[in-house]
Amino acid sequence: MPAPPSALPAILWWVTAQGPGAYDFAVAKLRAGEYLAILPEAGVSRSFKGRECKTGAARMAAEAGVPIIPVSVWGSHRLMTRDHGFSARRAWKAPVRVHIGEALRFPPESGTDAATSRLRAELQLCIDAGIADFPVPAQPGEWWMPADLGGGAPSEEERRKLDADDAANGRRRGPKQADTPN
């Protein structure tokens, strides 16, 4: 397969387009010094809290001997997200915060579940930083703020129930129970 143009979206497309060999392909690219953007949460959580991560990012980083740099975005969900379509009014000059955490290293002998949990915790710290310095004050009950901060978003328990209902009704792929290394 010919290499796509050298741009992050193209690299993401290329890795996902590789199918069953995507994991080995990604690890080889990481070992060769390439950067790879991985979205371990596989989507935005309805609770606007860090949701369960897939294990691939931690496994690839450990196998390739490279760090993971956690990056979280806060504010983009106000532009368009599930149950809240695009609004030009909300989008006009809408602030978005990007927070970059400290690099995480996972040695090959580190447990996949422990590494993935640590990654999720670091991503949540970045989200918390985005919330803390967000320039738009949230009113009580605002749909775009997490419930535990007085917002109207579903709680984590409600989010899990909604996600399970979606998976049961074929509206969304459910979380994997366990990933197996390729």
Side-chain angles (χ1 to χ4, degrees), residues 86-94:
F86 180 75
S87 163
R89 183 171 176 234
R90 274 196 322 266
W92 181 251
K93 297 184 180 183

Side-chain angles (χ1 to χ4, degrees), residues 41 50 53 68-72 99-106 115-129:
E41 293 179 283
C53 293
I68 292 179
I69 302 171
V71 178
S72 291
H99 284 267
I100 301 169
E102 294 292 321
L104 306 174
R105 289 195 175 271
F106 302 115
T116 303
S117 292
R118 183 170 167 218
L119 173 58
R120 180 183 183 195
E122 289 297 322
L123 289 169
Q124 184 60 53
L125 288 174
C126 291
I127 291 170
D128 293 343

Side-chain angles (χ1 to χ4, degrees), residues 11-182:
I11 291 171
L12 290 173
W13 169 84
W14 196 14
V15 171
T16 32
Q18 296 297 310
Y23 180 89
D24 293 332
F25 175 80
V27 170
K29 287 294 187 184
L30 290 169
R31 284 183 175 145
E34 298 284 335
Y35 290 95
L36 184 64
I38 299 174
L39 310 172
E41 293 179 283
V44 176
S45 169
R46 296 179 209 210
S47 66
F48 305 125
K49 303 292 276 184
R51 95 186 203 199
E52 296 82 4
C53 293
K54 302 209 179 282
T55 62
R59 288 187 293 123
M60 281 187 249
E63 189 173 330
V66 299
I68 292 179
I69 302 171
V71 178
S72 291
V73 178
W74 180 258
S76 61
H77 63 292
R78 295 178 67 233
L79 304 180
M80 183 169 67
T81 194
R82 176 184 270 172
D83 300 327
H84 298 280
F86 180 75
S87 163
R89 183 171 176 234
R90 274 196 322 266
W92 181 251
K93 297 184 180 183
V96 174
R97 294 292 187 257
V98 177
H99 284 267
I100 301 169
E102 294 292 321
L104 306 174
R105 289 195 175 271
F106 302 115
E109 65 276 2
S110 66
T112 299
D113 291 340
T116 303
S117 292
R118 183 170 167 218
L119 173 58
R120 180 183 183 195
E122 289 297 322
L123 289 169
Q124 184 60 53
L125 288 174
C126 291
I127 291 170
D128 293 343
I131 292 171
D133 77 359
F134 199 66
V136 177
Q139 300 301 314
E142 291 272 19
W143 67 266
W144 51 270
M145 281 298 285
D148 65 337
L149 298 176
S155 68
E156 274 295 287
E157 182 179 337
E158 293 167 328
R159 191 259 317 158
R160 285 188 196 95
K161 288 178 186 174
L162 291 166
D163 287 353
D165 182 54
D166 280 355
N169 290 303
R171 291 189 299 263
R172 181 181 174 90
R173 181 181 84 244
K176 283 188 176 181
Q177 297 306 311
D179 281 338
T180 55
N182 292 343

